[in-house]
Every structure is written in structure tokens, then in C-alpha cells.
């Protein structure tokens, strides 16, 4: 590479990195965006959904020109038991209308489009290149500042500010001393399969109109003894199925991720949704799940951490939070550039922006959830079992009078676990399940 010094280097062209690069390029600063994949998104998979309101702040009206697949008009959460499901869902005319609340996207299309937005604004994108190390300069006996990166060919490139947008595994964030080594307890592992089905069939099967989509999240089955989630998302002519659980519980429970997805596909309610589909691709990915107590130090002299590398996940919502954090880091880089000061004194503005954000407050508010689900790893399973057994009794009409039926239902709930524990599981569940 000819140019050796940039105002800013961003590592990783996912949603966080490309947004940081876009924000910086808009300020007429020079920015190098480095991606290890052959193109942005090539190494990524997710269901998944882009939530409009956050992304609209960054790229107003993005859905008019971005590669969105379907506008989501139906959201469902299934409490899945072995042969049944209690379905909580919402479809509404006030929801199913432009500009819509969320869109399904395919990552290799979305990430490429977003990185191209940054390039159009003036960023320089370097694909197929891994950043191996960070380059530092000693500024005192114990103090140092970050001044560049070392690429996989050994070349060093320099910048006044480095933004780490490297995703959940965050090896460079750890190398920078901003984060403790990541453990299985702080991650969830998700396997995903992508299926093709003609658009018309998708619309008939899920009862949605052309360009409209549905999303189904499920807890309970097949994760007895582990906290996990199933997700089904509709794209134009593909359906994504993901199955994932907390990684340490997968390990201690000796759960086989491949078996989990096979079991899920065999569930009668899911099997019928996938009938006649053709498997196109599969893969797996992690999500940071350590919560508030494991958030890294977000900045130091000449460096900031954004997106999944910073642990910004709330429920299953991460892509738009990654983009917002990328924007905040980009804005902070521009302030530092204007002042010619890249020290912690100026970069602290990034922390202030994050602390003011709705998602930081959410992550902080659910700080107990991670410990809770490690102490009670059967919580989702028990909630699901309770809900399904009660629903069966409620809907099944027999010969008892109403008083007898209520007593029977109360006894069913009590035979599974005390009412107080069920209420606590529900409360924690709402924090953890997120809203889809
Ligand atoms: C199964 C699944 C479903 C999900 N569903 C949703 C959803 O529906 N909605 C939602 O909002 N979020 C969802 N998420 C979360 C979302 O995917 C993440 O929060 C989001 O991708 C984080 O963006 P990021 O840019 O921080 O990191 P990433 O998207 O992980 O991007 C990091 C990029 O950095 C590159 N990189 C890493 N290290 C280096 C290096 N050393 N050198 C060069 N490049 C490097 C990677 O190749 C990658 O392109 C889901 C996640 C999973 C796993």
C-alpha cells in the first residue's frame, strides 16, 4: 500500500466499522477501513433484522436504496415444547405500513452496501487483509499511545486514531489491554442454515404480502438444560434458521450444535414451515453475552472500541447498536482531529455518548441477567413447560366445572416450580429474550 499514514484506521468492515468509516469520511478526514474477508460481509452470517429507527439516524431514508429483503409486519415469540407451542405474536395495520419498523437483510449484501457508502464518502477500503497487531509508541514510563496497525504481510500503517470494530472475538481489543480474555461464559454460539423457497411460497406459507416478512423467535425446545434461542427470518426468496445457546452451557451440557439444529428442524411446527426448502448454506457465529460486567474499557490514547467488540448487544439486537456506536466513535474522532488531540482527554467524549445511549442503559439495567441464567440454566425450559401445560388445560374442554379447572391449572403450575420463581424467570426472560 502506497499511503502509510491516515487520520484514522478502522479494523473490520462490519456494521460498526463501516459506519465509523462513513462518519469520518463525511468529515473529510482520511480513513482506511480494513477487512479480512474477500469483501465486507463475506465472513458474516445472521438472521437477521435491521431496526429502522437507529439506522435512519445515520443514513436517512436508507431503506429506499439499501438492499433490504422484506419489511417485517409480523413478530412472534414461541414458547416451544416438544410437540406444541404457546405463540405470542403481533400483526397490526399500524405496524405493517411504511416506513416500517424493521427489515430483514442478508449480511453479504448489507455489509457490502454499507462499506460502499463509506467508500463513496471517501473512505479507502482494503479487503482480504487481516490486522495482526497494533502498533504503539511509549509516551512515558508506563504510558503508551496507539499509532498504527500491522497487517498480515508484516507491513505497518499508521494513524492518529485506531477504531477496533472487529466483532465478538475481539482479539486486538484484548491485545490492547482494553479487555480481559474472553471466556465461553461470555459468548453464545449460533448455527445457521439458509434455505431457498420461491417468494410466492414464502408469502403463502407465512401469510404475508409481497415484500413483507415475518420473524419468529423461539425459546425452550430443544435446549433443556441450556439457555438458547431459535430464530426464523424471511428474506425475499430465502429463509434463515438459527439455533444457538450460551457457549459454556453447550460445553458442560455436552450439547452438539449440529444435533440441536437437526432436532429443531424435526419439530412438527418448524418442519412444516421448512417443507420443500432447499439448503443453500450453513455456518456458525458467536454473540457476546457477558453483559454489563464484561464490557471492555472503551477507549485509550489513540484508540476506541465499537460494536460487538465492545459487547453492545441487547437481546438479539446488535447490528444497529454497532452502527450507532460506530457513528459515536466517528464523531469523536472528528472532534479529536479538529483539536489535534487524540488523547483520552478528548476521546472520553465517546464514553459519554455511549453512556447517554438507550442501549447502554438497557445493557446496564439487565446486568443481573447473565448471572441469573448461569445459576438457573433451565429457566427458559421451565417457563416453556409451564406455559404449554397451562395452555393445554386452558384450551382443552372437558367435563370439569370452571372452579375445578382453575384448581387443576394452579396445581400444574405449582408442580413445576414455585410461583415466585416462575415470576422471576419471566422477568429475567423478558430482559434476555429481547424483543424481536
Ligand atoms: C445468528 C445471529 C443472529 C443475529 N441476528 C441479529 C438481528 O436480527 N439483528 C441485529 O441487530 N443483530 C443480530 N445479530 C448480532 C449482529 O450480527 C452483531 O451485533 C453485529 O454484526 C455486530 O457488528 P460489528 O460490526 O460490531 O461486528 P461484525 O459484524 O462481527 O463485523 C466485524 C468485521 O471485522 C472483520 N475482522 C475481524 N477481525 C479482523 C481483523 N483482525 N482484521 C481485519 N478484519 C477483521 C470481520 O471479518 C467482520 O467483517 C445476530 C448475530 C448472530 C450471530
Amino acid at each position: 500500500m502506497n499511503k502509510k499514514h491516515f487520520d484514522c484506521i478502522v479494523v473490520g468492515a462490519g456494521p460498526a466499522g463501516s459506519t465509523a468509516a462513513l462518519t469520518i469520511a463525511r468529515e473529510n478526514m482520511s480513513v482506511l477501513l480494513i477487512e479480512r474477508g474477500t469483501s465486507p460481509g463475506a465472513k458474516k452470517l445472521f438472521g437477521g433484522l435491521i431496526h429502522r429507527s437507529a439506522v435512519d439516524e445515520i443514513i436517512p431514508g436508507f431503506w429506499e436504496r439499501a438492499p433490504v429483503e422484506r419489511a417485517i409486519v409480523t413478530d412472534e415469540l414461541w414458547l416451544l415444547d416438544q410437540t406444541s407451542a404457546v405463540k405470542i405474536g403481533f400483526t397490526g395495520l399500524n405496524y405493517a405500513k411504511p416506513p416500517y419498523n424493521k427489515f430483514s437483510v442478508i449480511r453479504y449484501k448489507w455489509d457490502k452496501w454499507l462499506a460502499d457508502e463509506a467508500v463513496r464518502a471517501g473512505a479507502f477500503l482494503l479487503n482480504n487483509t487481516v490486522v495482526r497487531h497494533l502498533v504503539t509508541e511509549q509516551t512515558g514510563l508506563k504510558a503508551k499511545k496507539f499509532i498504527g496497525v500491522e497487517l498480515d504481510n508484516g507491513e505497518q500503517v499508521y494513524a492518529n486514531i485506531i477504531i477496533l470494530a472487529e466483532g465478538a472475538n475481539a482479539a486486538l481489543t484484548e491485545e490492547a489491554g482494553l479487555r480481559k480474555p474472553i471466556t465461553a461464559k461470555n459468548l453464545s454460539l449460533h448455527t445457521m442454515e439458509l434455505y431457498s423457497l420461491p417468494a410466492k411460497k414464502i408469502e403463502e406459507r407465512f401469510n404475508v404480502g409481497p415484500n413483507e416478512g415475518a420473524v419468529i423467535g423461539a425459546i425452550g425446545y430443544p435446549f433443556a438444560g441450556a439457555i438458547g434461542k431459535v430464530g426464523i427470518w424471511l428474506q425475499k426468496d430465502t429463509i434463515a434458521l438459527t439455533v444457538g445457546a450460551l457457549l459454556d452451557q453447550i460445553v458442560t451440557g455436552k450439547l452438539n450444535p449440529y444435533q440441536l439444529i437437526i432436532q429443531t428442524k424435526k419439530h412438527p411446527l418448524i418442519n412444516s414451515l421448512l417443507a420443500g426448502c432447499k439448503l443453500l448454506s450453513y455456518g456458525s457465529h458467536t454473540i457476546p453475552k457477558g453483559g454489563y460486567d464484561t464490557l471492555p474499557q472503551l477507549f485509550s490514547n489513540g484508540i476506541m472500541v465499537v460494536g460487538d467488540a465492545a459487547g453492545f448487544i441487547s437481546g438479539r439486537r446488535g447490528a444497529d447498536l454497532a452502527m450507532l456506536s460506530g457513528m459515536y466513535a466517528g464523531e469523536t474522532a472528528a472532534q479529536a482531529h479538529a483539536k489535534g488531540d487524540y488523547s483520552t482527554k478528548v476521546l472520553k467524549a465517546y464514553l459519554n455518548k455511549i453512556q447517554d445511549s438507550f442501549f447502554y442503559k438497557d445493557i446496564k439495567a439487565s446486568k443481573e441477567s447473565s448471572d441469573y441464567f448461569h445459576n438457573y440454566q433451565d429457566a427458559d425450559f421451565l417457563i416453556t413447560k409451564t406455559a404449554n401445560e397451562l395452555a393445554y388445560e386452558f384450551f382443552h374442554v372437558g367435563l370439569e366445572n370452571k372452579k375445578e379447572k382453575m384448581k387443576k391449572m394452579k396445581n400444574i403450575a405449582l408442580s413445576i416450580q414455585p410461583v415466585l420463581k416462575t415470576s422471576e424467570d419471566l422477568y429475567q426472560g423478558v430482559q434476555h429474550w429481547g424483543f424481536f
Side-chain angles (χ1 to χ4, degrees):
M1 200 170 48
N2 293 333
K3 194 168 155 67
K4 287 282 178 211
H5 194 282
F6 292 80
D7 292 325
C8 190
I9 291 174
V10 181
V11 182
S18 289
T19 307
L22 171 66
T23 311
I24 292 162
R26 281 173 174 167
E27 297 290 334
N28 292 320
M29 294 162 63
S30 62
V31 52
L32 173 66
L33 176 60
I34 307 176
E35 169 55 44
R36 67 182 171 183
T38 47
S39 65
K43 285 193 153 298
K44 292 303 303 181
L45 60 86
F46 91 152
L49 299 184
I50 289 292
H51 301 89
R52 178 184 51 79
S53 43
V55 182
D56 202 16
E57 301 266 300
I58 301 158
I59 308 175
F62 71 94
W63 60 93
E64 305 282 359
R65 54 202 173 90
V68 296
E69 297 282 312
R70 289 177 181 272
I72 300 304
V73 299
T74 297
D75 262 83
E76 290 186 5
L77 171 64
W78 291 7
L79 310 184
L80 203 61
D81 212 356
Q82 204 146 9
T83 53
S84 62
V86 172
K87 300 178 178 178
I88 306 162
F90 181 70
T91 313
L93 287 183
N94 52 350
Y95 194 53
K97 66 176 188 190
Y100 298 104
N101 182 248
K102 50 192 110 161
F103 299 93
S104 60
V105 305
I106 293 181
R107 282 298 291 272
Y108 71 84
K109 294 184 192 169
W110 175 264
D111 284 17
K112 186 169 180 323
W113 171 80
L114 190 58
D116 284 347
E117 286 285 301
V119 170
R120 276 189 283 276
F124 183 72
L125 172 65
L126 185 62
N127 284 318
N128 244 334
T129 306
V130 181
V131 172
R132 289 273 179 236
H133 297 291
L134 298 165
V135 183
T136 57
E137 186 178 273
Q138 230 37 54
T139 54
L141 254 185
K142 283 191 175 166
K144 63 180 178 191
K145 67 176 179 183
F146 293 86
I147 57 163
V149 298
E150 185 180 309
L151 309 181
D152 45 5
N153 61 3
E155 198 181 341
Q156 294 194 341
V157 194
Y158 303 96
N160 298 325
I161 295 181
I162 317 294
I163 296 180
L164 297 179
E166 51 178 337
N169 293 337
L172 296 168
T173 309
E174 192 178 320
E175 179 186 308
L178 300 176
R179 203 198 68 184
K180 290 192 188 126
I182 207 149
T183 64
K185 192 178 170 205
N186 300 334
L187 291 172
S188 57
L189 176 70
H190 299 257
T191 311
M192 180 176 133
E193 291 188 347
L194 191 69
Y195 297 93
S196 73
L197 192 69
K200 238 183 145 14
K201 282 210 165 153
I202 290 184
E203 285 145 20
E204 280 164 18
R205 194 168 290 181
F206 289 85
N207 195 22
V208 292
N211 301 320
E212 290 183 345
V215 55
I216 300 169
I219 57 150
Y221 182 87
F223 306 108
I227 298 297
K229 262 192 214 167
V230 170
I232 296 172
W233 294 269
L234 308 184
Q235 294 125 0
K236 273 199 178 93
D237 50 12
T238 47
I239 300 178
L241 169 72
T242 72
V243 180
L246 292 176
L247 184 53
D248 60 334
Q249 298 183 1
I250 288 183
V251 175
T252 52
K254 294 195 170 62
L255 301 174
N256 176 335
Y258 180 63
Q259 285 302 331
L260 285 177
I261 204 159
I262 288 186
Q263 267 176 279
T264 305
K265 286 190 293 188
K266 280 190 182 155
H267 192 285
L269 295 174
I270 292 179
N271 193 269
S272 58
L273 294 179
L274 297 177
C277 288
K278 191 170 156 231
L279 180 64
L280 291 179
S281 61
Y282 59 90
S284 57
H285 209 276
T286 51
I287 300 184
K289 281 287 176 189
Y292 183 75
D293 289 334
T294 60
L295 295 186
Q297 185 183 325
L298 295 177
F299 67 102
S300 183
N301 278 319
I303 198 162
M304 289 178 273
V305 189
V306 296
D308 272 15
F312 297 146
I313 288 282
S314 183
R316 192 175 272 166
R317 189 175 179 186
D320 60 336
L321 311 187
M323 290 180 69
L324 283 175
S325 64
M327 179 176 78
Y328 297 152
E331 289 168 351
T332 307
Q335 283 170 18
H337 182 68
K339 290 185 175 154
D341 181 352
Y342 312 99
S343 68
T344 51
K345 207 170 104 201
V346 178
L347 298 194
K348 189 170 186 296
Y350 171 55
L351 178 65
N352 296 340
K353 285 170 192 276
I354 293 290
Q355 285 177 337
D356 275 351
S357 71
F358 68 90
F359 61 83
Y360 183 86
K361 288 173 189 149
D362 283 348
I363 293 170
K364 194 170 177 184
S366 57
K367 93 195 262 262
E368 313 297 337
S369 292
S370 175
D371 279 349
Y372 187 83
F373 287 115
H374 279 97
N375 290 336
Y376 301 107
Q377 54 192 66
D378 55 0
D380 281 358
F381 171 73
L382 292 175
I383 278 281
T384 306
K385 186 172 159 62
T386 310
N388 277 272
E389 292 192 14
L390 288 180
Y392 176 85
E393 266 320 306
F394 183 79
F395 290 109
H396 183 263
V397 178
L399 296 177
E400 346 51 344
N401 64 39
K402 284 181 184 159
K403 200 171 165 196
E404 283 166 346
K405 193 155 184 97
M406 286 307 291
K407 193 168 170 209
K408 199 168 167 192
M409 287 174 69
K410 189 175 152 202
N411 288 338
I412 287 173
L414 287 175
S415 72
I416 296 172
Q417 62 175 347
V419 175
L420 263 181
K421 169 72 170 35
T422 301
S423 321
E424 182 65 14
D425 283 357
L426 257 178
Y427 171 78
Q428 293 293 346
V430 170
Q431 309 281 331
H432 154 75
W433 303 331
F435 297 94
F436 295 91

